[in-house]
Amino acid sequence: MATAWLVTGIVDPAWPTPAGMLAGMLAAMGLSLLLMPVFVALFGAMEVMLPVMLTAMLAGMLLGMARAMTVFSTWEAMVAGGLIGTLTLLSTYALDASLRRRGL
Amino acid sequence: MREATRKKWDLSASFYDLLAYGPERRWAAAKRALFANMEGRILFVAVGTGQDIRFFPPGRDIVGIDISPRMLAKARSRAAAYAGKLELRLMDVHSLEFPDYSFDQVVSSCTFCSVPDPVAGLKALRRVLKPGGMLYMFEHTGSRLFPFNLMLNLMTPIWKPIGPEMNRDTVANVRKAGFEIQQVNNIYLDVVKTIIATSPA
């Protein structure tokens, strides 16, 4: 959701779509790196870093692309960002459970 | 002793415990289970600030080494509280000051993500480990899975100056150093693992 808020503030609907995607992705990943030490210290290392970075990359890219193509509110973007984050967390959790069962 | 590595970990010593609070809490059960295997004379590599000492089973004979004097200074009170024999020594894993075949087991925890030459470090461990001796490792490694491998490759240059490399293939490095892998268990995705290996007799 923080990613979505940031991307809607940075990317302008007048931008070319690829520029919106790239700017959204870079801004979101930069934000995730800034927030990372706090989350890592509280909740764990890889278990936080990987889903957070992945969410930032996907949400930044998708919302940056969408923002460059159409106008939507910050609130709508934050809901979409929240959904992307939730889906990423659930997918990572499912993959983790499967890999732990399988070993190497 | 590699000066750059020592300086890096001396610098990290001041904030290491703060950043390690979350990971140590999350990995406590897996570490406790792995360290429960400790038997005989044990070398614990990169004891750091001694965060892992609380997971050691009591009554063991352990030598803990680290490259950083500031890390070891922080570890001393935790070592003193250990209910067993635990000696701390300042040492680089690349140039161990122990005779050949000095230990029954070697244990590491989040170490070989940071050792500058991991295969040489692991070979040094093989030298001091008795034939048939066990190597127990709790390590984070690179991933074989996209997009996690991409994330870890992106994070490595950011973290490396103050801490670990995120994308190492530690299981392959253990094999390259001449150990025989007995067991690899995933703790989180294929990134955080326990590795159990033996030094061939």
Side-chain angles (χ1 to χ4, degrees):
Chain A
M1 288 171 88
T3 295
W5 173 79
L6 181 71
V7 170
T8 50
I10 290 174
V11 179
D12 189 274
W15 286 16
T17 308
M21 263 174 87
L22 185 66
M25 186 180 78
L26 292 176
M29 288 177 83
L31 177 70
S32 75
L33 284 173
L34 285 177
L35 296 175
M36 199 87 80
V38 180
F39 288 124
V40 164
L42 289 174
F43 303 114
M46 298 302 166
E47 296 85 349
V48 173
M49 284 184 201
L50 291 172
V52 166
M53 283 276 282
L54 188 54
T55 300
M57 189 179 81
L58 290 174
M61 211 162 58
L62 291 172
L63 292 170
M65 180 180 72
R67 179 72 171 173
M69 291 196 296
T70 182
V71 177
F72 51 80
S73 70
T74 305
W75 173 246
E76 287 169 323
M78 286 172 75
V79 170
L83 280 173
I84 293 168
T86 306
L87 282 174
T88 307
L89 272 178
L90 290 175
S91 312
T92 310
Y93 182 85
L95 182 62
D96 174 43
S98 152
L99 285 170
R100 272 190 286 132
R101 273 196 304 271
R102 276 195 280 160
L104 181 65
Chain B
M1 187 168 295
R2 299 184 184 207
E3 197 57 20
T5 310
R6 186 192 62 75
K7 277 185 182 165
K8 177 167 93 171
W9 290 106
D10 273 351
L11 179 72
S12 299
S14 47
F15 56 86
Y16 186 86
D17 281 354
L18 186 67
L19 277 181
Y21 173 77
E24 288 296 328
R25 210 174 41 150
R26 187 171 285 274
W27 294 337
K31 285 189 176 185
R32 214 183 287 279
L34 184 70
F35 298 164
N37 295 302
M38 285 176 158
E39 291 293 344
R41 188 161 190 250
I42 301 145
L43 174 64
F44 191 90
V45 187
V47 72
T49 62
Q51 287 263 5
D52 288 322
I53 293 172
R54 68 190 133 153
F55 306 131
F56 292 174
R60 301 303 196 270
D61 178 7
I62 305 166
V63 178
I65 62 165
D66 204 279
I67 195 169
S68 159
R70 288 190 63 193
M71 287 274 187
L72 281 180
K74 288 190 168 237
R76 294 213 186 277
S77 59
R78 288 174 172 140
Y82 174 64
K85 189 178 169 196
L86 174 53
E87 179 193 354
L88 298 182
R89 290 185 63 178
L90 183 67
M91 210 178 291
D92 183 349
V93 70
H94 297 96
S95 44
L96 296 172
E97 298 160 18
F98 303 109
D100 293 358
Y101 314 133
S102 309
F103 294 95
D104 298 293
Q105 295 184 347
V106 173
V107 183
S108 77
S109 173
C110 299
T111 302
F112 281 88
C113 50
S114 310
V115 169
D117 186 341
V119 176
L122 285 158
K123 281 182 177 168
L125 295 181
R126 255 195 76 201
R127 182 184 67 76
V128 300
L129 193 55
K130 289 177 183 170
M134 301 297 294
L135 172 68
Y136 293 99
M137 307 173 86
F138 183 97
E139 298 285 343
H140 64 83
T141 68
S143 174
R144 294 177 181 180
L145 304 169
F146 181 84
F148 301 110
N149 48 6
L150 172 67
M151 303 283 117
L152 293 165
N153 287 337
L154 287 173
M155 279 190 273
T156 293
I158 296 162
W159 278 99
K160 193 180 171 183
I162 56 158
E165 289 182 31
M166 305 292 199
N167 55 1
R168 287 191 176 173
D169 189 348
T170 301
V171 176
N173 289 340
V174 170
R175 281 200 188 97
K176 278 182 204 163
F179 285 96
E180 288 171 1
I181 300 280
Q182 301 297 322
Q183 202 178 329
V184 178
N185 291 313
N186 290 320
I187 305 298
Y188 179 68
L189 294 170
D190 65 338
V191 175
V192 183
K193 302 170 189 292
T194 56
I195 302 163
I196 301 175
T198 49
S199 181

